[in-house]
Amino acid sequence: GINVVLIYITSDGNIGLFDAPCEENNLVLKQMNGEFNLNQLLISDLNNLSCCDYLVIDLSGLTDDDDSLINAIVGIKSMYDFRILILAVGYDNASPILGRLFAEGIYNIVTANRLNAQLDEISLCLGAGMQYKDAIRFRSQGTVASSGSRIIVQKPSIRQTISVGVCGALHRLGPTKQALHITKFLNDSGYTACYIE
């Protein structure tokens, strides 16, 4: 059969945590341990991720600041389709970074402190996966304003139509054909698009 691969990026302290879960689920475990900068790792080891089905990131093994971590996760999500698990042992549910990960649609977050509870959470993440309702506890509640201040929430205005211009720099370069391809692609993707000469 086809090997299902789990890549585990971890600090030295959490080595071996995924040995048993991977064995139970017949997953091939590739473990990288030490101190990592996730953004740098992505740039240097991008090829290794193409064979991956699950990517486990242990926050305690990363040197990234919160923004760098979120950028890396967003980048991974936009390029790959595998399931991302975050190991956040010792993190509080209200921790801002967990709130930001939740906001990016990352629900498979393991925070349990005891080994048995960790393994339970891991098996849920590897099985059906945690859903929105399981991870809702990480949702950031926003900052609580003092009674004297007013909060103004600006809602971004949503443009209903977006125009895309296609032009060719040389004669007979085929911009019309490209424009028609783009229109077809957008319509096939569920958007409403039309071509205007």
Side-chain angles (χ1 to χ4, degrees), residues 93-113:
N93 285 352
S95 166
I97 187 63
L98 299 187
R100 290 181 68 180
L101 287 164
F102 174 83
E104 292 300 338
I106 306 285
Y107 304 147
N108 290 293
I109 302 175
V110 175
T111 54
N113 288 315

Side-chain angles (χ1 to χ4, degrees), residues 43-183:
I43 295 162
S44 59
D45 270 15
L46 211 56
N47 297 345
N48 289 341
L49 291 182
S50 54
C51 65
C52 173
D53 298 281
Y54 295 91
L55 176 65
V56 182
I57 300 165
D58 174 5
L59 295 186
S60 68
L62 299 182
T63 58
D64 303 71
D65 60 24
D66 288 5
D67 288 343
S68 158
L69 172 65
I70 294 293
N71 287 340
I73 296 276
V74 169
I76 294 170
K77 276 192 71 178
S78 67
M79 290 185 316
Y80 300 103
D81 203 21
F82 48 66
R83 188 179 296 176
I84 298 171
L85 278 70
I86 301 292
L87 188 62
V89 176
Y91 278 73
D92 189 64
N93 285 352
S95 166
I97 187 63
L98 299 187
R100 290 181 68 180
L101 287 164
F102 174 83
E104 292 300 338
I106 306 285
Y107 304 147
N108 290 293
I109 302 175
V110 175
T111 54
N113 288 315
R114 290 189 358 270
L115 181 62
N116 281 353
Q118 284 170 7
L119 292 173
D120 287 347
E121 287 187 4
I122 288 169
S123 72
L124 173 59
C125 292
L126 294 179
M130 288 194 188
Q131 306 302 313
Y132 181 89
K133 61 178 170 40
D134 303 311
I136 192 80
R137 63 183 190 273
F138 303 121
R139 187 171 66 180
S140 42
Q141 302 305 316
T143 48
V144 179
S146 62
S147 54
S149 66
R150 284 190 314 139
I151 296 176
I152 299 165
V153 177
Q154 287 185 317
K155 288 193 173 153
S157 61
I158 297 166
R159 283 190 51 187
Q160 294 302 321
T161 56
I162 295 172
S163 303
V164 178
V166 180
C167 64
L170 295 167
H171 185 56
R172 309 279 314 136
L173 202 60
T176 306
K177 189 177 174 190
Q178 290 304 325
L180 289 168
H181 276 308
I182 292 168
T183 307

